[in-house]
Amino acid sequence: MNAKNVKGGLHLLVLEGDGIGPEITAATLAVLRATDAQFALGLSFETEAVGWTAHRAGGTTFPDAVEHAAKAADGVLLGPVSHNDYPPRSEGGLNPSGELRKRLDLYANIRPARSREGFPPRCGKNVDLVIVRENTEGFYADRNMFMGSGEFMPTPDLALAVRKITREGSTRIAEVAFKHAMQRRKKVTCVHKANVLRMSDGLYLECTRAVAARYPDVKYEERIIDAMAALLIRDASVFDVIVTTNMFGDILSDEASEIAGSLGLAASLNAGSAHAVAQAQHGSAPDIAGKNVANPASLIGSAAMLLAWLGERRGDDKLVRAAATIEAALDRVIAEPAGRTPDMGGELGTDAFGKRVAEAVG
Ligand code: ATP
């Protein structure tokens, strides 16, 4: 029987990924199991291989079975992947992250950057913002075409990349941003480069403004991407919800999470109208893989976002409370210098950090 159909249960697909993926996934599962014991969520887990492990076993980094399992599950936990090192697509090197975003239409990448009590943010002021990044088009040539790639070389000395902006994609991501703002401090900053990309970001701005007009209670402002990169460093505390296109959102969110504390704290959720995938903002960090030093807070926080997303969709308050409990447990553990991994200036190992958060949940 498909576990998704078990009444009251929650079936999650777990994809460990590459590099630090297996270590931070194990720590995250320890926290999810503790949360399940506390809240009786009826969690069940199914593991599939992606990335190098899958490639060694079957010649592809993203087997078709993973897509089917992801669609059948209630949610997916995806560890970081080393897709930069994969062979070409023709030799089985597919980016599992990009494939899931495209095939499950996960158009919204929600990337919070929040400073933690007792752990000073790099900009000196408390940061609590969320970047709402469009996730299916923009400059991502490997996924913004129906067939073929948006990146090509007509001659050995000429390489071109296509940036795709649609009315539908721009409108739906703006809707997500304004809905988030209504639950938060009611401010949206739209980031663009319409002064140069007049047509494509012109269309993007037109769509965002149309959505903004439907939310008169939300303060709306626009910033050009280069200025925004500087403004975040100057004072990230003034921002609430930032909405932007795919690549700008990817870059700004790494900057914002590092300003707020550490990339190792950076959680994110890829969400569509039917599916969601919890995934840390960072990559597979091969430089620290296998050393038990990676900070798993990013994936633990992402798992909490997935529970909250499921809770809101199902009107299940227990899931929403479980997510808030994980977040509070992360806060409590990080507040003590002895509860920090090396990227936060501490000495705790990945597994020990996961254990502490699991205990704090209980
Ligand atoms: P990839 O090629 O998969 O993107 P990368 O190392 O180029 O990997 P990231 O994984 O995003 O890029 O890492 C950037 C830097 O941040 C690296 O120095 C890495 O060690 C560090 N880092 C990333 N994630 C974590 C984490 N969870 N804990 C501690 N340090 C991290």
Side-chain angles (χ1 to χ4, degrees):
M1 181 170 44
N2 182 348
K4 189 177 181 177
N5 300 322
V6 175
K7 193 170 180 296
L10 207 58
H11 187 60
L12 301 184
L13 175 67
V14 180
L15 309 169
E16 290 183 339
D18 306 304
I20 60 171
E23 296 160 79
I24 66 171
T25 303
T28 302
L29 288 177
V31 174
L32 283 176
R33 289 201 174 97
T35 311
D36 194 20
Q38 187 73 12
F39 287 88
L41 304 174
L43 293 187
S44 59
F45 303 101
E46 169 192 356
T47 303
E48 290 278 353
V50 293
W52 282 118
T53 312
H55 196 269
R56 277 191 293 272
T60 172
T61 53
F62 191 75
D64 284 343
V66 175
E67 177 183 347
H68 301 139
K71 285 180 173 163
D74 292 303
V76 180
L77 190 66
L78 173 65
V81 288
S82 301
H83 63 91
N84 214 13
D85 304 330
Y86 292 170
R89 199 180 174 90
S90 55
E91 292 166 29
L94 281 72
N95 174 1
S97 168
E99 293 301 319
L100 281 168
R101 289 171 182 177
K102 185 171 178 175
R103 297 188 203 187
L104 274 59
D105 196 23
L106 307 171
Y107 62 87
N109 189 197
I110 314 295
R111 295 187 151 193
R114 181 168 74 78
S115 45
R116 306 271 172 176
E117 197 66 38
F119 181 54
R122 290 179 208 271
C123 71
K125 291 187 187 169
N126 282 338
V127 178
D128 182 6
L129 61 83
V130 57
I131 294 181
V132 175
R133 166 197 178 197
E134 204 292 322
N135 215 16
T136 49
E137 44 189 46
F139 244 134
Y140 281 65
D142 63 335
R143 71 202 66 158
N144 66 14
M145 294 280 148
F146 166 64
M147 201 179 280
S149 169
E151 201 179 23
F152 47 95
M153 291 182 77
T155 76
D157 302 313
L158 171 65
L160 299 171
V162 174
R163 179 171 184 263
K164 173 180 156 191
I165 300 290
T166 66
R167 191 175 294 281
E168 187 201 356
S170 305
T171 303
R172 66 183 182 172
I173 198 65
E175 281 286 354
V176 172
F178 279 88
K179 280 189 183 132
H180 262 77
M182 289 300 287
Q183 310 289 325
R184 294 173 48 95
R185 303 196 306 276
K186 296 193 172 61
K187 180 177 169 189
V188 169
T189 305
C190 173
V191 178
H192 64 92
K193 189 74 183 173
N195 52 336
V196 174
L197 301 164
R198 286 186 179 269
M199 263 184 254
S200 54
D201 265 2
L203 173 61
Y204 170 70
L205 273 185
E206 179 193 326
C207 297
T208 312
R209 286 174 189 163
V211 175
R214 296 204 294 274
Y215 289 86
D217 294 341
V218 176
K219 182 176 180 319
Y220 175 67
E221 62 181 22
E222 293 169 356
R223 294 284 179 268
I224 294 174
I225 177 66
D226 37 328
M228 187 65 187
L231 292 173
L232 270 179
I233 290 173
R234 188 180 296 168
D235 186 1
S237 72
V238 300
F239 298 103
D240 179 18
V241 175
I242 296 167
V243 63
T244 190
T245 49
N246 203 341
M247 193 175 283
F248 294 162
D250 192 25
I251 298 166
L252 278 186
S253 55
D254 269 31
E255 185 189 342
S257 60
E258 196 62 28
I259 288 168
S262 166
L263 195 49
L265 292 173
S268 94
L269 188 74
N270 301 286
S273 45
H275 305 282
V277 174
Q279 179 187 18
Q281 289 182 32
H282 54 74
S284 62
D287 52 334
I288 56 168
K291 297 181 178 160
N292 195 32
V293 293
N295 187 351
S298 51
L299 195 59
I300 295 171
S302 308
M305 290 179 77
L306 177 60
L307 294 186
W309 183 84
L310 285 164
E312 277 154 27
R313 274 167 66 85
R314 296 174 172 200
D316 185 341
D317 187 51
K318 200 160 67 166
L319 281 168
V320 176
R321 280 187 290 118
T325 301
I326 296 175
E327 268 299 312
L330 280 170
D331 277 344
R332 279 206 301 287
V333 170
I334 294 166
E336 301 295 330
R340 297 177 192 161
T341 44
D343 60 302
M344 297 188 282
E347 291 177 0
L348 216 54
T350 310
D351 51 1
F353 183 90
K355 200 159 167 262
R356 281 204 189 201
V357 179
E359 283 163 8
V361 163

